[in-house]
């Protein structure tokens, strides 16, 4: 893996994958949901939707045909810090793919005639939450736990989406879609020199830098029940963990996997296998440059909800007292296996490089990432686990009134 910064500030990460006939591109534009406000919550979502509806040189139909002619499998998503654009194609279409992706990112036309259709698509995506309580509770937990302005779902709100104008989209383009702050990662059967030459020629006239604002404030946290006449109670918890780049990241990964990252983890064993309180339960560790957090998700019947919460909290705090070396070894093997399987995909490699460069300023090889996990001893994780004895998780639940009484916990 190599990294390169162009004269205009654009960062490039590349990895040559020997024998690969494909190439994957991952472009991060610093225009994510954290740039939205309460009044324009949904601007990032609508911005992404409009990016693929034509550029200054191609209308929607011509752009779609160009993507297909290059054999590009493409996608986009809204993240907290970035809007992500990705594409995979064959190596002989590298220049075309880079050009198309950059054209979409830097020269969208934002046609007025497409705005209402794009807005309606975003509103339908938001409305889908009512039919997907698992996703809804994930967003609700995020809003409760994470620091502002990193708490937004990326889908927006009905009010915000309806208030976003074409002018807002152009302002986001001018202020945030600039080279200094943007990252492109490329993995596959390509050479670094070729990638640098192509990217330099395509972005010669692209200039600008984002105005960075590091201010943040804590979320409300606490414990809430969103009353809904559902047949199940959907439960989510979150607690603080190390941010990306912190020395304790590997320890936290091993600990959170031991707790609830597999079906042999403590939460699944106790809550599902022994007590039959739920069908599935698990944890996930996520992190950004500013903040890290572990989330727990489970669903159960209203009758079992109180016991499931109490059992989960008991297992979270108990891990600090009797974590075993066999649990840590299983967690290590799980993580390394996952890293190895991700290495099979050029798309996963490109996504990792872009994300890692954004969060930590560096890209580590698969071997280096594996060694980070292997270097952590049982004693290291056991000592680190002591912090779990004092955790006070944020808890959000969706379910019938009375199914949870948080003041009794």
């Amino acid at each position: 893996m190599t990294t390169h910064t162009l004269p205009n500030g654009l960062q490039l990460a590349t990895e040559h994958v020997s024998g690969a006939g494909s190439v994957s591109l991952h472009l991060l534009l610093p225009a994510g949901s954290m740039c939205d406000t309460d009044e324009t919550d949904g601007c990032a979502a609508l911005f992404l939707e409009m990016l693929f509806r034509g550029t200054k040189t191609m209308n929607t139909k011509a752009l779609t045909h160009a993507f297909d002619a290059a054999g590009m499998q493409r996608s986009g998503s809204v993240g907290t810090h970035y809007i992500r654009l990705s594409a995979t194609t064959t190596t002989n279409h590298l220049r075309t793919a880079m050009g198309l992706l950059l054209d979409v990112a830097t020269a969208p036309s934002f046609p007025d005639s497409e705005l209402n259709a794009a807005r309606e698509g975003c509103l339908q995506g938001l409305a889908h939450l009512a039919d997907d309580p698992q996703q809804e509770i994930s967003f609700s937990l995020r809003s409760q736990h994470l620091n502002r302005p990193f708490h937004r779902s990326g889908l927006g709100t009905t009010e915000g989406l309806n208030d976003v104008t074409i002018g807002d989209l152009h302002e986001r383009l001018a202020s945030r879609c600039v080279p200094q702050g943007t990252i492109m990662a490329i993995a596959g059967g390509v050479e670094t020199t070729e990638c640098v030459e192509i990217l330099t020629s395509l972005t010669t006239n692209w200039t600008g830098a984002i105005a960075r604002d590091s201010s943040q404030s804590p979320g409300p946290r606490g414990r809430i029940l969103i009353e809904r006449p559902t047949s199940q109670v959907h439960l989510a918890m979150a607690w603080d963990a190390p941010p990306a780049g912190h020395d304790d990241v590997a320890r936290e990964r091993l600990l959170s996997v031991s707790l609830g990252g597999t079906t042999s983890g403590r939460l699944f064993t106790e809550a599902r296998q022994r007590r039959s309180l739920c069908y599935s339960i698990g944890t996930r560790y996520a992190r950004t440059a500013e903040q890290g957090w572990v989330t727990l998700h489970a669903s159960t019947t209203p009758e079992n909800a109180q016991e499931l919460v109490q059992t989960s909290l008991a297992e979270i705090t108990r891990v600090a007292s009797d974590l075993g070396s066999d649990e840590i070894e299983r967690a290590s093997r799980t993580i390394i296996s996952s890293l190895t399987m991700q290495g099979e995909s050029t798309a996963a490699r490109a996504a990792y490089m872009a994300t890692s460069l954004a969060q930590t300023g560096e890209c580590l090889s698969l071997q280096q990432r594996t060694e980070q996990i292997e270097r952590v001893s049982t004693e290291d994780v056991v000592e680190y686990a002591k912090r779990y004895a004092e955790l006070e998780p944020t808890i959000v639940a969706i379910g019938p009134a009375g199914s949870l009484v948080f003041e009794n916990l």
Side-chain angles (χ1 to χ4, degrees):
M1 294 183 184
T2 60
T3 59
H4 185 87
T5 301
L6 273 63
N8 61 6
L10 176 62
Q11 290 182 287
L12 171 67
T14 62
E15 182 181 19
H16 173 75
V17 181
S18 181
S22 67
V23 58
S24 294
L25 300 84
H26 206 83
L27 183 65
L28 299 184
L29 298 169
S33 62
M34 65 171 286
C35 304
D36 293 356
T37 65
D38 289 344
E39 292 74 24
T40 62
D41 194 350
C43 183
L46 192 53
F47 186 90
L48 172 63
E49 182 69 25
M50 288 290 285
L51 283 182
F52 290 98
R53 291 177 181 257
T55 69
K56 293 178 180 178
T57 58
M58 289 181 284
N59 61 24
T60 305
K61 184 176 181 180
L63 180 62
T64 300
H65 286 176
F67 276 125
D68 291 343
M72 293 173 65
Q73 300 175 9
R74 68 272 186 193
S75 63
S77 64
V78 176
T80 302
H81 296 76
Y82 298 93
I83 286 179
R84 298 170 177 266
L85 305 179
S86 59
T88 298
T89 186
T90 52
T91 54
N92 60 310
H93 285 123
L94 173 63
R95 177 180 286 274
T96 302
M98 292 175 69
L100 285 170
L101 213 57
L102 285 166
D103 200 26
V104 164
T106 64
S109 57
F110 292 148
D112 285 309
S113 59
E114 297 278 352
L115 182 61
N116 287 336
R119 194 193 313 274
E120 184 59 31
C122 291
L123 287 169
Q124 288 181 20
L126 182 62
H128 176 69
L129 282 183
D131 299 320
D132 190 349
Q134 292 287 359
Q135 188 178 29
E136 181 186 3
I137 200 170
S138 294
F139 291 151
S140 297
L141 180 68
R142 182 185 187 91
S143 181
Q144 282 292 119
H145 187 78
L146 294 189
N147 294 346
R148 273 64 182 143
F150 312 122
H151 64 294
R152 302 187 190 280
S153 69
L155 292 178
T157 63
T158 300
E159 296 79 7
L161 285 167
N162 281 321
D163 287 345
V164 173
T165 66
I166 286 289
D168 293 323
L169 302 184
H170 281 289
E171 192 282 329
R172 180 69 56 91
L173 179 69
S175 63
R176 307 298 300 188
C177 294
V178 291
Q180 190 170 335
T182 295
I183 295 171
M184 176 175 279
I186 304 174
V190 295
E191 300 295 338
T192 297
T193 302
E194 179 187 13
C195 294
V196 172
E197 290 176 351
I198 295 173
L199 191 58
T200 301
S201 68
L202 290 172
T203 61
T204 300
N205 298 320
W206 191 26
T207 60
I210 59 171
R212 296 189 179 276
D213 182 5
S214 59
S215 62
Q216 54 183 298
S217 58
R221 305 202 170 187
R223 299 173 176 182
I224 62 169
L225 171 65
I226 301 172
E227 295 185 2
R228 198 76 54 74
T230 53
S231 59
Q232 284 195 315
V233 174
H234 302 276
L235 175 69
M237 299 184 185
W239 55 91
D240 290 335
H246 194 280
D247 290 343
D248 285 330
V249 165
R251 296 177 181 87
E252 181 65 68
R253 293 186 72 182
L254 288 162
L255 181 56
S256 60
V257 171
S258 297
L259 179 65
T262 66
T263 53
S264 63
R266 291 182 169 220
L267 285 167
F268 191 89
T269 300
E270 183 66 24
R272 205 285 195 183
Q273 300 293 73
R274 292 178 181 168
R275 297 175 181 254
S276 298
L277 294 175
C278 56
Y279 180 75
S280 66
I281 185 171
T283 56
R284 178 177 178 269
Y285 171 35
R287 54 205 174 273
T288 65
E290 297 84 7
Q291 189 175 12
W293 63 99
V294 178
T295 56
L296 177 154
H297 286 269
S299 297
T300 188
T301 61
E303 295 77 20
N304 287 331
Q306 196 84 5
E307 185 179 355
L308 177 60
V309 171
Q310 291 170 329
T311 298
S312 299
L313 291 173
E315 288 301 308
I316 291 169
T317 55
R318 186 173 70 86
V319 74
S321 62
D322 61 357
L323 185 65
S325 59
D326 58 328
E327 297 175 275
I328 299 171
E329 177 61 26
R330 286 198 299 271
S332 177
R333 292 176 181 174
T334 296
I335 295 170
I336 292 172
S337 175
S338 176
L339 290 174
T340 302
M341 287 187 284
Q342 289 173 16
E344 302 285 330
S345 164
T346 57
R349 286 173 181 254
Y352 159 73
M353 287 193 295
T355 301
S356 184
L357 192 58
Q359 292 180 346
T360 68
E362 63 178 356
C363 301
L364 302 180
S365 67
L366 177 59
Q367 181 178 350
Q368 289 173 312
R369 295 156 70 193
T370 299
E371 289 173 351
Q372 280 187 335
I373 299 298
E374 293 175 334
R375 280 197 301 268
V376 180
S377 67
T378 296
E379 292 73 24
D380 286 338
V381 183
V382 169
E383 180 64 27
Y384 176 78
K386 292 178 180 178
R387 67 181 293 274
Y388 270 49
E390 304 297 329
L391 288 182
E392 287 289 338
T394 301
I395 305 177
V396 177
I398 296 176
S403 53
L404 281 171
V405 184
F406 284 125
E407 57 266 30
N408 292 338
L409 293 177

